[in-house]
Amino acid sequence: MHVHGREPVSWPHQVGVLPREAAAFQRRDETDQLQAALTSSGTAVLCQVLRGTGGVGKTQLAAHYARQAWTGDELDVLVWVSASSRPAIVSAFAQAAEELLAHESGDPERSAQAFLRWLEPKPPGSEPVCRWLVVLDDVADPADVTGLWPAKNPYGRTVVTTRRRDAALPGHRIDLEVFTPDQAVAYLVDFLAEHGRHDAPDELRALAQDLGYLPLALSQAAAYIVDADIPVGCSRCTHRQCPSYRRRLADRATSLASMLPEPGTLPDDQNTTVSATWSLSIERADNLNPAGLARPTLQLAAMLDPNGIPQSVLTSEPARTYLAHHHHLPRQRRQRVRVPQRPLQHGGFHEPQVPEVVGVPGSAVPSG
């Protein structure tokens, strides 16, 4: 049903927001596999499923493909869906129906089904051909997509990212693993070079091995090294006060291992090294001015939508009140700090601002 007085948007049109590309994005064999599988030939499998544990770069790979297809004039409509739950999928499809079909809002399920019908192939010549791509990012449960799968259409493509490795998700499966040693080193070299650093290849190779070649851990470590301006490693140093990242990482991983009750307690097959990179980054952020706000800010954000939080929420009166009452001073910063109490005109905190958390998803992070 069309909304009175409202017309559908014209093509090309994008629904949803693509994650920005990670700094020093590394092209992999799987990048070419996805590109080849999603060609316009009639023999292509039109649904591709990118599978892998958290932090290997599934979302970044899907976003890279979508961005290339969009900017390469291969698409008329691009729909990016944060698909971690059924309501999120329905909401995204309903938004697509409202924008592309001028469908009346108010009944998300009905609008979502209208959008799915629109994706179905049409008799030749009956309507203009639309080349579309739907990306379902981070499908947690195949049951969430029951009745919501985009139709098979020679002009349409579907990409799914998921941590699930069972056969419940239809389509051609592409398994994404951690970086190869060479890819990991190339990532570190490229990222650090963007910030004017040219560290010894042997130290970078050793750090990559320390981190198990996991893209997410590598991005956190690289961001920390640049932000703290510390050496990657110091092969000739033996004292425990060595400032290098590898020494700090080893010490933190050891302490975390002693706190875990048993192996396998961390999610997504992560190990203590991955947790150590997060721990170091959060500690670093907590010591930036204004000291002691990074942890409560993360705790607050953890209660909100992981797919995007409006800035106005984090700068609202309740959020600022929460931070004012829950900030703490790290041991290294036992000094008086002023907690922000009023927002700036553009939505930020009154100076000093809440620090950006080093290593939290952003330009440096190839998300999972």
Side-chain angles (χ1 to χ4, degrees), residues 21-39 56-57 60-69 71 74 176-188 190-191 194 215 366:
E21 186 156 286
F25 176 84
Q26 296 296 302
R27 192 176 184 90
R28 305 195 240 179
D29 291 342
E30 293 83 0
T31 311
D32 298 327
Q33 290 180 33
L34 182 61
Q35 177 70 44
L38 286 168
T39 61
V56 296
Q60 277 292 316
L61 179 55
H64 177 78
Y65 169 75
R67 189 174 292 108
Q68 292 293 105
T71 59
E74 300 176 22
L176 196 61
E177 306 294 344
V178 297
F179 281 153
T180 66
D182 288 344
Q183 289 169 343
V185 173
Y187 170 79
L188 291 172
D190 292 348
F191 182 88
E194 289 181 4

Side-chain angles (χ1 to χ4, degrees), residues 7 14 21 25-26 31 44 62 85 100 103 115 128 130 139 146 149 211 219 225 230 234 282 296 300 318 348 357:
E7 295 295 326
Q14 177 181 324
E21 186 156 286
F25 176 84
Q26 296 296 302
T31 311
S85 69
L100 293 165
H103 199 271
F115 170 65
C130 178
V139 172
T146 300
W149 283 107
L211 297 173
S219 68
I225 290 166
I230 59 175
C234 184
I282 294 171
L300 175 61
V357 179

Side-chain angles (χ1 to χ4, degrees), residues 172-259:
H172 176 257
R173 302 185 226 346
I174 299 176
D175 290 325
L176 196 61
E177 306 294 344
V178 297
F179 281 153
T180 66
D182 288 344
Q183 289 169 343
V185 173
Y187 170 79
L188 291 172
V189 168
D190 292 348
F191 182 88
L192 295 174
E194 289 181 4
H195 295 83
R197 293 188 52 137
H198 303 280
D199 296 84
D202 289 347
E203 290 292 352
L204 297 180
R205 190 168 294 277
L207 175 60
Q209 184 175 15
D210 291 344
L211 297 173
Y213 311 112
L214 182 70
L216 180 60
L218 290 164
S219 68
Q220 294 167 4
Y224 186 105
I225 290 166
V226 169
D227 185 76
D229 193 23
I230 59 175
V232 173
C234 184
S235 57
R236 294 170 294 181
C237 185
T238 58
H239 63 82
R240 295 191 61 81
Q241 297 304 314
C242 173
S244 74
Y245 186 84
R246 291 190 65 208
R247 167 59 70 182
R248 298 184 187 192
L249 179 67
D251 291 345
R252 185 58 53 91
T254 299
S255 63
L256 284 174
S258 67
M259 291 187 289

